[in-house]
Amino acid sequence: MPPDPLALNYRDSPHPGTVPSTDEALLAWAGENVKVPWLRICRCWDKMSKGEAVRAVEAQLPIPLTPFTADMRAMFYVMRDLNPLMTFEPGNLFTIILDSTGTRILRAYMERTRMNAYISLDEVRLDPSWTRRAEEIITSGNLFPLKELLSAHMVRERGVYVNWVKIANVRFFGAFKDALEEFAGPGTLSSYIAAAYRAVREIYSHGWIAFSPKPKGFARLEEIIGTDSKGLIQYDPSDISDGEKDTELTNLLNETYIVALRGRDHTVALRMSGKEPFTLFLDQDISSSVNGIPFHRLPRALARKTGARTVLAFQADAAYNILHEYLLRPFPYTKTDTEIILKKLLYMVREYTTQWAIYPVPIALKWYARVGRFLGLPYDISRLSYWFLPKLIVEGGMIGLGHLQRVLLVVLDQDQVRSAVVAEMYEGGMRKIRTFPARELTPFFRSVPLREGLIKAKHHLWEKDGWINFAVAVQAGLIREALKLNLSGALSSLFGLSRAFPSIKRAWEMIKKGGLAVYPDRGLVEVDRWVKKTGRLRVWFTMAQIPFDRTRPRRRGLLYIRETIIALFALGAFLFILLGMML
Amino acid sequence: MKKTTVAVGYGEDRIEAVYKAFQALGGIGKWVRPGMRVLLKPNLMTAMGTPAITHIDMLKGLAVLCREAGAREVMVGENPVCGMPARKHFEMSGYDTALKAIGCRVVYFDEEPWTYKLQLDNFCLRDMHVPKALAEADLWITVPVAKTHVACVTTLGLKNSHGILPDEDKARHHRGRPHAGTSLWEKFVDITHACPPHLCVTDMFHAMEGQGPAFGDTVEMKLVVAGEDVTACDRVVEELMGIDSLRESPLISIAHRRGVGMGDMAGIEVVGEKIENHRRTFRRAIWRPDENAPDGLEMLVGDVCYGGCQMLISYLIDTSRIISSKDAREFGPVYILCGENPPPPPENRFVLVYGDCAVYSTYNYDYRKKGKKIGPWWAPRPGYVDVPGCCPVHIAWLRGYAKLLTGYAPLISLQTGVEIVEAPEYTFPKGVPLEKNPRRWTWDREFAERYAKEIAESNQPKYIYENESVKGDRLKGRNPLDVDRLNPEEFDHLNTVESYGKLRHHAA
């Protein structure tokens, strides 16, 4: 039986009279804003997992701790496929809520799964037989025995095995409560992202959330992003949001963009838009109505039904397969791991129209982009050399930058540094991403050319955090122009491209005036010299053959045969024109 | 017997490890006195990152220590791989601005004047040139990085000394025919014998195992090894790498035998970290390129010496390993002939003939006489390319490879881009004949072809060694026994092409 939210009442605390009133207030807020919506979601997924029909009105529910609503029927499919990757299978979860001191258990819940989706949220009686021992374990900091203790208790009490345990301090809810209050003012998506980012940072810095065992998806993300004092978690999103406002870009971001996933028996559409209503998934009735449409026509069909600006569709199996590789390989990735992940990724890119599709179709994927093949340019996305490029990228990077590479990326708005991030790679695999306070680097860029500022900033970070192999500085304006070019659809038609010419010119001017700087740049200068000396056309023709496979193996000299044919054609055309002019 | 002291420092970063190593040695003040000019000589073999080159934090740590001890000036200098200007290496790695930022003077050895040095009791390199900055420095410290090496097992302090020579001297004795008085291994010891560093500080924080010295894998050791005897330092590093030096390592055993430092652990006192706590077994570099060739490269190897063609071919293989797989799949194999009397190639086209031995010993092979033409119908060319030299210095081999495959294997033909790191504009010291200038072979195609043709048609090689150097202008008609003490009777059998540097100050 699904639990009835209206019948729920908070039990009395096991520590009467000692729980601060602020904790009680937060518990009450969480009960109303987290527990009740989550129960409704569980009820919906319970029905779905039993194969029962769920009406659209029942399925449109708010997602707890966010301003988003979503069609829970769509989310059920995502949960069904993703939950085993991100957490455990089965994923029965025991949740403990601690008081603000982090020593006493205030509430405990058992969340059961069916088909990997959560179907129930049952409150667990705080029996001293387990709470005392559990509190001891939590206080000790070694959470390892906790799962077995709770599992034994729950098997005895309800016949349910616990797969993982989540421990949240009641102030976890306080952080999100503050974030939602902060969002309520401006009510924009960017304000929520900034507020939620700060909430997560606060939660990690105080250790208000813990898992035992830690779900592999979370663990992997934490390892890459880093939750320590220099991890990406320390990044201040207000640095970006304080930047110059661009109305054109804001309008573009307020449009609707859809990412669709086509499974064996369903289609799910993730909706993204910068303006209200913040609906995370499309109405599943719309998504289901395109189930019968062939995959390569899916983006167009969805765009027509929803008026979305761009629709990107993936075969769910292929997308999850890559995610699976990404999450399950031990971290930090070795050279081989990185190569395999890249191979799978590039193979998916190569399989355009079978594993992914897009609408509107960019010029690069249209039929006339392949006309260049007649002139010897081997461009064809379906012949992308997925087996060769990863090796070239990984080993080439290792040869060029060394086995331990630290790359600095600085984004500036005029002479104000907006973000400074260092990506650390080891033996060809990503190790971690670190962030540095943007304001600390700003003085280096004042009143000096970008390149000089970059060198100074690089040396400053060398002193502070170790050697930086390569540094890139880019003006935010350039990124904005690039974003606009992509989002405006200019790259999807020759007409659009011609209309976007001012934007391209603006970006080019920005680059020429030093909107982009790299250091050390001597290698690039030498490459440029060599290209000019060798002949741009020849080098680019040769380079164009690197990413694509040729389909005529072991036929030596074919390059010259083709050139001969082209030359003969050109000669014929020239003679024909000459003859025409003479006549 | 007084033992040589070598310190092993451990740290969470290189600077800490350097501090600890010198703390164990009693402080750098034992060597660096106030007012001294100190020269640091790192290993920046090529424009690659760690662990192929010495990490800049090593130089930073040492520079700080020297300053604390009162050094007047700290210089950092290097002359990296043959034909590649030092300035480009420093600039490509960003070391130039970084070193200047910490107050060091960067010395590009190949842009400095050279000082002539004579060492008559050396095995083969009896005269050489050293940078003026090194000769003038009060103290010079070699700062190698610990790596495995295809020709020398390891490349450490003894091998790092090669970077103090100009290219003309580097090209000499770059081969392994000890019976003929020419040996790369002996040459490295010769350099150290003639110009010993005052201190050796080895970067072993990240070391390299496997296909060193450029394409191996990283091993994190977090160690720095320091001492004043470079041979002893190398011996301790090899102990940490799990190498039995006196049995396996040619440089240390030669140096020990010749008395250029202590190579026996019985004569070395290790202070600081204990070797047993950090010892690892490093994978050695594979010495036989014919057993390690990737798809698309068929190695046909005859009698080949160490240190020359075989070593450079292993570089060619490692450089091409990434890109040859694609070209091989689309265009088929390329045959590389190397050494004296190599097996004939199964096809008479796409043949790269590598080194003087292979060029002259295959002059009557079918690929030359009945070889198929390749290239476009309007400009056919022979299906083989000769890469002359003993050994072919610089990266002439890459150019030859690119030339052979132009129009066929697009990626490999892009290797003409080696000139990105070359120095065609480089000016040479006065007095070096252009023909003896190893760098010329790389960009003067006409010269290289004429040279190769001469060798190929001669059947027997021209004895440049005999005609021009030892018995010729080098001694100005004097008795070679005065200089070359070793096996003078073997001079008649020498079959090497030498390229000598200037000899204007030969000892009277």
Side-chain angles (χ1 to χ4, degrees):
Chain A
M1 278 290 289
D4 182 1
L6 300 177
L8 283 167
N9 286 308
Y10 289 110
R11 281 168 33 77
D12 290 337
S13 165
H15 310 285
T18 57
V19 178
S21 58
T22 47
D23 291 6
E24 289 289 356
L26 282 176
L27 272 180
W29 181 87
E32 194 179 329
N33 294 282
V34 182
K35 188 176 168 184
V36 172
W38 186 241
L39 275 168
R40 287 191 182 129
I41 292 169
C42 289
R43 181 190 288 176
C44 173
W45 288 349
D46 182 38
K47 281 186 179 177
M48 293 279 293
S49 64
K50 284 193 264 186
E52 294 172 14
V54 179
R55 286 178 297 135
V57 263
E58 282 179 274
Q60 285 294 344
L61 295 172
I63 301 173
L65 305 179
T66 71
F68 299 110
T69 57
D71 190 317
M72 289 301 154
R73 294 173 294 177
M75 215 160 161
F76 171 78
Y77 293 119
V78 176
M79 188 60 93
R80 187 187 68 179
D81 297 337
L82 265 187
N83 206 20
L85 283 180
M86 294 297 290
T87 61
F88 303 95
E89 186 178 17
N92 294 331
L93 169 66
F94 193 96
T95 301
I96 291 172
I97 308 224
L98 300 175
D99 69 349
S100 53
T101 62
T103 52
R104 293 179 205 161
I105 298 172
L106 296 181
R107 297 281 185 274
Y109 300 95
M110 183 70 216
E111 299 175 53
R112 282 184 296 134
T113 57
R114 190 185 302 129
M115 291 175 76
N116 301 317
Y118 290 96
I119 54 158
S120 70
L121 174 72
D122 302 325
E123 193 164 353
V124 179
R125 196 164 58 87
L126 298 179
D127 186 343
S129 67
W130 68 269
T131 48
R132 203 155 294 153
R133 175 71 187 130
E135 282 172 355
E136 280 171 18
I137 291 171
I138 291 166
T139 317
S140 76
N142 177 17
L143 301 177
F144 186 70
L146 195 60
K147 192 189 95 167
E148 289 312 314
L149 172 79
L150 298 174
S151 218
H153 177 71
M154 292 312 294
V155 168
R156 202 166 49 238
E157 288 275 309
R158 302 187 189 185
V160 185
Y161 191 84
V162 175
N163 299 100
W164 59 304
V165 184
K166 178 176 77 191
I167 305 147
N169 191 302
V170 71
R171 291 165 83 174
F172 169 90
F173 300 108
F176 269 100
K177 182 172 175 262
D178 294 345
L180 285 171
E181 279 167 6
E182 200 177 317
F183 156 74
T188 58
L189 191 60
S190 60
S191 65
Y192 172 72
I193 291 170
Y197 206 100
R198 277 192 283 273
V200 172
R201 185 168 58 215
E202 201 181 353
I203 288 163
Y204 270 105
S205 61
H206 292 101
W208 288 341
I209 187 101
F211 305 95
S212 176
K214 193 174 270 191
K216 46 191 177 281
F218 288 10
R220 192 66 80 249
L221 284 175
E222 277 181 18
E223 281 164 341
I224 292 172
I225 291 170
T227 51
D228 57 359
S229 60
K230 284 177 184 167
L232 204 58
I233 200 82
Q234 300 299 331
Y235 183 69
D236 188 357
S238 62
D239 283 337
I240 288 284
S241 54
D242 289 349
E244 185 190 318
K245 299 287 180 220
D246 187 325
T247 326
E248 199 184 336
L249 184 61
T250 313
N251 290 341
L252 281 170
L253 289 172
N254 284 343
E255 299 264 354
T256 304
Y257 301 89
I258 286 176
V259 177
L261 283 174
R262 166 65 64 83
R264 268 166 294 180
D265 54 349
H266 65 279
T267 304
V268 171
L270 184 72
R271 179 186 175 279
M272 286 177 288
S273 174
K275 68 173 181 187
E276 290 184 277
F278 300 129
T279 313
L280 204 58
F281 285 92
L282 266 191
D283 188 336
Q284 191 56 24
D285 291 336
I286 300 175
S287 304
S288 300
S289 69
V290 292
N291 265 351
I293 293 174
F295 178 73
H296 65 279
R297 290 194 191 146
L298 177 67
R300 190 175 66 175
L302 272 175
R304 288 192 176 164
K305 274 184 186 292
T306 59
R309 187 169 192 98
T310 305
V311 180
L312 185 61
F314 293 100
Q315 288 286 7
D317 280 355
Y320 292 147
N321 186 302
I322 290 169
L323 200 62
H324 185 267
E325 291 291 343
Y326 176 73
L327 293 176
L328 291 192
R329 287 188 179 267
F331 191 82
Y333 301 127
T334 61
K335 192 169 74 176
T336 316
D337 290 332
T338 316
E339 280 181 21
I340 288 173
I341 293 170
L342 278 175
K343 268 179 195 171
K344 290 201 169 188
L345 200 66
L346 290 175
Y347 185 76
M348 194 168 89
V349 173
R350 173 186 165 118
E351 294 297 302
Y352 173 64
T353 70
T354 54
Q355 291 201 0
W356 71 286
I358 189 168
Y359 182 85
V361 181
I363 296 170
L365 299 175
K366 286 190 169 156
W367 65 268
Y368 49 79
R370 295 198 295 274
V371 170
R373 291 176 64 79
F374 291 112
L375 300 172
L377 274 174
Y379 175 78
D380 187 350
I381 192 86
S382 66
R383 287 175 186 168
L384 190 70
S385 191
Y386 71 95
W387 59 275
F388 167 69
L389 286 176
K391 204 175 173 62
L392 187 71
I393 294 166
V394 173
E395 294 199 5
M398 279 170 64
I399 289 172
L401 294 173
H403 293 205
L404 179 63
Q405 308 155 10
R406 299 182 80 237
V407 179
L408 167 71
L409 175 67
V410 182
V411 180
L412 298 108
D413 217 339
Q414 303 305 327
D415 57 1
Q416 290 290 316
V417 176
R418 292 292 170 206
S419 73
V421 173
V422 173
E424 198 171 299
M425 285 161 274
Y426 184 71
E427 289 271 333
M430 177 71 77
R431 199 188 234 185
K432 61 178 82 155
I433 301 171
R434 308 173 84 96
T435 182
F436 294 92
R439 286 175 187 87
E440 195 180 300
L441 296 183
T442 297
F444 299 114
F445 291 91
R446 285 213 181 108
S447 318
V448 291
L450 195 59
R451 184 177 178 275
E452 277 180 41
L454 185 65
I455 295 172
K456 285 179 187 169
K458 180 175 176 277
H459 291 164
H460 173 75
L461 290 180
W462 173 36
E463 188 65 38
K464 202 176 162 185
D465 193 56
W467 180 244
I468 305 279
N469 297 74
F470 197 69
V472 183
V474 61
Q475 285 288 354
L478 201 62
I479 300 173
R480 279 196 288 268
E481 290 298 335
L483 261 178
K484 278 192 279 186
L485 203 64
N486 274 297
L487 296 178
S488 65
L491 301 179
S492 57
S493 72
L494 290 175
F495 179 65
L497 199 61
S498 65
R499 279 180 60 195
F501 185 69
S503 177
I504 297 168
K505 197 178 165 192
R506 222 166 26 237
W508 182 241
E509 286 295 320
M510 238 179 259
I511 292 173
K512 280 209 292 190
K513 283 179 186 167
L516 178 71
V518 295
Y519 189 80
D521 51 0
R522 179 58 193 250
L524 297 178
V525 171
E526 291 295 324
V527 169
D528 186 52
R529 185 184 59 78
W530 170 66
V531 169
K532 279 179 186 159
K533 187 183 160 196
T534 314
R536 285 175 200 275
L537 202 63
R538 189 184 148 200
V539 171
W540 291 124
F541 253 73
T542 315
M543 299 282 261
Q545 296 174 38
I546 294 174
F548 303 100
D549 286 336
R550 290 159 172 247
T551 49
R552 297 174 293 254
R554 302 180 67 85
R555 287 191 193 173
R556 290 172 160 167
L558 209 62
L559 206 64
Y560 289 122
I561 294 170
R562 191 185 57 208
E563 280 171 6
T564 309
I565 293 168
I566 293 164
L568 286 174
F569 265 110
L571 188 68
F574 176 70
L575 288 175
F576 183 75
I577 293 165
L578 199 68
L579 198 64
M581 284 169 69
M582 284 168 68
L583 290 175
Chain B
M1 186 181 77
K2 196 189 171 197
K3 288 188 173 184
T4 307
T5 309
V6 174
V8 181
Y10 176 89
E12 281 309 308
D13 61 49
R14 286 178 178 82
I15 296 172
E16 186 191 344
V18 169
Y19 266 89
K20 284 198 177 156
F22 277 100
Q23 210 173 21
L25 281 175
I28 203 168
K30 283 167 78 174
W31 293 275
V32 181
R33 305 266 181 248
M36 270 188 168
R37 298 175 73 200
V38 182
L39 176 79
L40 308 179
K41 181 351 194 133
N43 179 353
L44 301 182
M45 65 165 286
T46 181
M48 297 168 79
T50 316
I53 61 172
T54 305
H55 199 278
I56 195 161
D57 281 348
M58 285 292 294
L59 305 174
K60 187 180 174 183
L62 280 169
V64 171
L65 276 181
C66 291
R67 287 253 174 61
E68 282 176 4
R72 177 160 53 101
E73 187 179 32
V74 180
M75 299 174 281
V76 178
E78 162 72 311
N79 182 33
V81 170
C82 237
M84 301 187 187
R87 182 179 286 274
K88 278 192 191 178
H89 279 250
F90 277 94
E91 288 181 356
M92 281 178 172
S93 54
Y95 276 23
D96 57 336
T97 52
L99 288 167
K100 285 169 191 165
I102 57 169
C104 294
R105 182 160 81 86
V106 181
V107 185
Y108 308 111
F109 284 167
D110 53 356
E111 295 177 13
E112 291 275 307
W114 297 95
T115 308
Y116 186 72
K117 195 168 177 63
L118 197 68
Q119 190 74 34
L120 292 179
D121 59 345
N122 266 350
F123 178 86
C124 52
L125 196 72
R126 298 198 174 87
D127 63 333
M128 68 189 89
H129 302 80
V130 294
K132 199 177 167 197
L134 187 134
E136 287 175 359
D138 301 310
L139 184 95
W140 83 277
I141 305 174
T142 182
V143 195
V145 56
K147 299 186 285 183
T148 47
H149 195 280
V150 284
C152 305
V153 181
T154 56
T155 163
L156 304 167
L158 287 164
K159 169 85 175 59
N160 194 34
S161 300
H162 208 215
I164 63 170
L165 299 186
D167 285 3
E168 298 81 52
D169 285 343
K170 277 186 183 176
R172 297 163 65 190
H173 303 289
H174 210 301
R175 67 188 71 83
R177 303 267 189 214
H179 60 280
T182 175
S183 160
L184 184 66
W185 296 338
E186 297 276 5
K187 179 190 169 187
F188 292 139
V189 179
D190 283 349
I191 303 166
T192 307
H193 179 46
C195 208
H198 299 95
L199 271 174
C200 174
V201 186
T202 307
D203 178 3
M204 218 185 172
F205 196 87
H206 284 128
M208 184 182 276
E209 67 171 1
Q211 281 311 92
F215 300 95
D217 300 316
T218 310
V219 183
E220 194 169 72
M221 302 285 282
K222 299 191 172 182
L223 296 176
V224 163
V225 179
E228 62 180 3
D229 180 347
V230 63
T231 310
C233 255
D234 286 3
R235 176 66 211 257
V236 170
V237 173
E238 288 198 350
E239 280 294 314
L240 288 160
M241 294 165 94
I243 293 168
D244 183 355
S245 304
L246 295 181
R247 282 183 56 218
E248 278 188 72
S249 177
L251 299 194
I252 292 177
S253 45
I254 289 170
H256 181 69
R257 198 185 63 227
R258 284 174 53 180
V260 184
M262 173 54 68
D264 190 349
M265 282 307 285
I268 301 170
E269 184 194 5
V270 179
V271 293
E273 295 290 319
K274 285 187 176 169
I275 291 178
E276 297 75 40
N277 296 345
H278 299 278
R279 186 184 277 128
R280 305 272 284 270
T281 303
F282 278 45
R283 276 186 293 114
R284 278 42 163 189
I286 294 172
W287 165 237
R288 294 286 304 266
D290 44 346
E291 289 172 2
N292 189 35
D295 290 345
L297 292 182
E298 296 271 338
M299 303 296 306
L300 302 164
V301 181
D303 174 22
V304 62
C305 67
Y306 67 82
C309 298
Q310 192 153 352
M311 185 184 90
L312 289 172
I313 277 197
S314 71
Y315 284 173
L316 182 143
I317 286 172
D318 290 325
T319 312
S320 317
R321 189 177 291 279
I322 310 171
I323 53 177
S324 69
S325 57
K326 187 161 187 281
D327 279 343
R329 190 159 143 168
E330 291 163 1
F331 295 99
V334 174
Y335 304 99
I336 297 180
L337 306 189
C338 174
E340 204 161 357
N341 299 313
E347 281 187 279
N348 288 336
R349 56 185 183 176
F350 295 101
V351 182
L352 187 76
V353 193
Y354 193 86
D356 286 352
C357 297
V359 173
Y360 75 72
S361 65
T362 62
Y363 73 100
N364 58 356
Y365 277 26
D366 276 357
Y367 76 86
R368 278 183 195 276
K369 293 183 173 172
K370 303 174 192 168
K372 290 179 182 170
K373 296 281 184 188
I374 58 172
W377 57 267
W378 63 86
R381 60 179 195 260
Y384 65 91
V385 165
D386 290 325
V387 186
C390 183
C391 56
V393 289
H394 194 177
I395 28 189
W397 38 278
L398 267 182
R399 286 223 180 220
Y401 198 25
K403 182 184 163 192
L404 179 69
L405 298 170
T406 298
Y408 291 92
L411 303 192
I412 287 173
S413 66
L414 272 180
Q415 296 201 28
T416 50
V418 289
E419 69 180 55
I420 289 167
V421 285
E422 281 176 354
E425 75 278 11
Y426 184 82
T427 53
F428 296 92
K430 282 179 188 169
V432 180
L434 204 57
E435 285 74 17
K436 293 178 183 176
N437 176 351
R439 290 186 181 183
R440 183 169 172 186
W441 297 349
T442 60
W443 74 83
D444 191 340
R445 204 171 275 183
E446 192 192 334
F447 173 77
E449 280 170 8
R450 181 161 54 81
Y451 175 79
K453 199 176 165 197
E454 274 176 22
I455 291 176
E457 287 173 353
S458 68
N459 192 0
Q460 290 297 310
K462 296 285 182 193
Y463 297 117
I464 294 176
Y465 198 94
E466 179 189 41
N467 296 340
E468 292 185 25
S469 54
V470 177
K471 292 179 182 170
D473 59 350
R474 188 175 174 205
L475 292 187
K476 309 289 184 199
R478 292 177 65 227
N479 184 355
L481 288 175
D482 291 347
V483 176
D484 295 289
R485 295 180 307 161
L486 283 160
N487 306 324
E489 67 280 5
E490 286 187 3
F491 290 155
D492 293 337
H493 308 293
L494 290 174
N495 54 7
T496 53
V497 180
E498 277 283 18
S499 165
Y500 280 97
K502 55 187 173 177
L503 307 163
R504 61 176 185 269
H505 299 300
H506 198 277

